[in-house]
Amino acid sequence: HHRAGQPDGPARRMASVRQARLGRLIVCFAAVVVFTGTIVTASGPHGGDEHAERFNFQLPDVTRIHGTMVMVLLTATIIALSLSRRDHQPAIVTRDLNVVLGVLLVQAVIGYVQYFNDVPAFLVGLHIAGATAVWTSVLVADLNLRTREPITSGAVDPPNDIAVAAGRGA
């Protein structure tokens, strides 16, 4: 869908190499978070109907792994957002990272509330919907790090690294 709305031609970076690498790392962390969250759900009381087989994992253990990965994803997002602001990356990069951070924070609140309230089914469903929102926001942020739009007059491709952007490189 994203690519279909763009013109033909090679993709250009919208941000620095470091920012693009952080974007890919955030996608990888988000994939691990969604995967471990799936394990948590399939190990818990709402992983299907009453006849569904559950994974044979201890719920507190897999929840702890999932929560740790969420903290890693949250930290990477905050670092990327801080660098985006500090290094004056394009507004779309900062905007997308703000959206990711907001969705992550709402999702974390839902996760903690459900965990400390004996995992009510409604909140599990809400948390699963939130996982979709997290994954979507992370993918949109990563996809928007590149464009195929033609260069407008006066616009240039972002430099290869931050040192060049700051005028300290060749």
Side-chain angles (χ1 to χ4, degrees), residues 66-141:
H66 174 62
T68 300
M69 291 311 305
V70 168
M71 292 304 162
V72 169
L73 173 59
L74 188 57
T75 300
T77 303
I78 290 169
I79 289 169
L81 183 57
S82 297
L83 289 174
S84 175
R85 288 178 178 158
R86 186 194 77 183
D87 299 332
H88 306 290
Q89 297 296 313
I92 191 169
V93 174
T94 304
R95 182 206 68 198
D96 287 348
L97 287 168
N98 276 318
V99 169
V100 170
L101 181 60
V103 172
L104 282 172
L105 292 175
V106 169
Q107 181 69 337
V109 168
I110 294 168
Y112 278 109
V113 169
Q114 75 174 0
Y115 185 76
F116 290 114
N117 285 286
D118 295 324
V119 196
F122 172 75
L123 288 179
V124 173
L126 199 57
H127 197 61
I128 291 170
T132 304
V134 166
W135 184 245
T136 301
S137 68
V138 166
L139 287 181
V140 166

Side-chain angles (χ1 to χ4, degrees), residues 1-12 139-140 142-144 146-150:
H1 177 265
H2 178 81
R3 177 67 177 98
Q6 296 182 346
D8 292 333
R12 293 183 298 107
L139 287 181
V140 166
D142 184 62
L143 288 169
N144 283 339
R146 291 164 300 288
T147 186
R148 286 182 166 75
E149 295 296 326

Side-chain angles (χ1 to χ4, degrees), residues 162-170:
I162 299 304
V164 174
R168 296 186 299 266

